[in-house]
Amino acid sequence: MSRPGATSATSKGLRLARKAWQLLHQDSARAIESAREALREAQAHDDLPGRAWAQLAIGYHVLYFGTPADAAVALKGAQALFEQLDDRPGTILAGTGLARCLWREGKFAESLELVLPLREPGLQVLQHEQRGVLLNTIAGCYSAQGRSEQAFAYMYQALRDSGPTHGRGFDAVLYCNLAHELQQIGDYHEALRYLDQGITRCNELSNPRLL
C-alpha cells in the first residue's frame, strides 16, 4: 500500500480501507462493509488518504459485483484523490480498475491502451497481489483478443507475485484464469490441474462470485 505519511498511516479510516482491500477476495461481504465504514470515517475527519483507499476498495468491489459504470464513478474519484496526494501505487491501481471497467464493457483495445503504459511504473511500486491485479488486467485484454500465449505469460507472472502466502485470495482468480487460457491453447490436462487448485482455494474463501 502507499505510505502517505505518519499521521495518515495511523488514521482509522486508512486502516479500515487497507483492511477492505485485503479482504476483497478473501471475504467480499466484510470487504465492502469495511470500505464503507472507512469512507465514513475518512470523510468525517478530512482524511484524504483514507478516502482515496476506501473509494478504491469500493470501486473494485462494485467492479466485481456491480456494473462497470458504477465502479468507474468510485474509481475516478479515487484516482483524483491519489493524484492530489501524489500517491503512485494508488493512482496506478485506480487506473487499472478503470481499464478493467472498459474490459467489462467489451472495449478490449481501449482497455489495453489504458493499462499497458501502467505496467513499467506498476512493477516498480506495486507489490504482491497489487502487481497481480495489474498484470491480470493486461492478461485479460490479450485473452479477449484471442492472444492466449501472451495472456498466459502475464497471468503466470501475476501468480508468482500473488501466491497463497501474499495473494490475499487473488491467487484463486489467477488459477482459474490460467486454466481458461490453457484450455484455449489446448493443454487440457494442465488446465484441469490449475482448475483443481483454483477450486481448492475458492473453498477457503468467502466470496460467492469467485466460487
Side-chain angles (χ1 to χ4, degrees):
M1 304 291 286
S2 80
R3 296 173 175 82
T7 301
S8 295
T10 58
S11 74
K12 182 179 179 181
L14 186 55
R15 290 198 304 271
L16 286 167
R18 285 174 169 169
K19 177 183 176 183
W21 175 269
Q22 293 169 2
L23 290 171
L24 278 173
H25 295 94
Q26 293 176 326
D27 191 327
S28 54
R30 287 177 59 206
I32 190 60
E33 179 182 348
S34 181
R36 287 169 177 160
E37 184 181 354
L39 186 58
R40 289 192 296 269
E41 181 70 22
Q43 288 174 332
H45 295 88
D46 196 24
D47 175 7
L48 293 187
R51 278 179 55 197
W53 285 98
Q55 287 189 225
L56 182 74
I58 290 170
Y60 269 87
H61 179 88
V62 176
L63 182 57
Y64 298 137
F65 288 91
T67 68
D70 289 338
V73 173
L75 291 167
K76 286 178 181 177
Q79 186 180 55
L81 289 171
F82 285 131
E83 289 174 351
Q84 181 180 342
L85 293 163
D86 195 25
D87 184 323
R88 291 183 69 206
T91 300
I92 291 168
L93 288 171
T96 300
L98 289 168
R100 190 75 179 181
C101 290
L102 292 171
W103 185 92
R104 282 276 312 276
E105 293 173 341
K107 300 175 182 177
F108 307 126
E110 294 94 327
S111 178
L112 187 61
E113 184 178 345
L114 178 60
V115 75
L116 203 55
L118 301 177
R119 178 185 178 276
E120 289 305 319
L123 292 178
Q124 293 175 16
V125 300
L126 302 180
Q127 295 183 350
H128 306 312
E129 88 289 345
Q130 295 179 352
R131 276 190 173 196
V133 168
L134 170 62
L135 295 172
N136 185 61
T137 300
I138 297 173
C141 295
Y142 283 128
S143 177
Q145 295 176 344
R147 300 160 70 180
S148 289
E149 291 186 2
Q150 292 95 326
F152 183 87
Y154 272 99
M155 288 176 189
Y156 192 78
Q157 184 181 359
L159 184 61
R160 291 176 59 186
D161 288 308
S162 308
T165 303
H166 302 293
R168 307 189 193 283
F170 191 63
D171 54 307
V173 176
L174 293 167
Y175 282 128
C176 296
N177 287 352
L178 282 162
H180 172 75
E181 295 311 318
L182 285 164
Q183 181 187 9
Q184 296 298 105
I185 294 170
D187 193 342
Y188 305 115
H189 292 291
E190 192 70 2
L192 284 171
R193 188 174 73 84
Y194 275 99
L195 190 59
D196 282 341
Q197 290 177 277
I199 291 171
T200 298
R201 284 292 287 132
C202 287
N203 285 328
E204 298 169 357
L205 308 174
S206 180
N207 188 324
R209 173 186 172 276
L210 185 54
L211 184 58

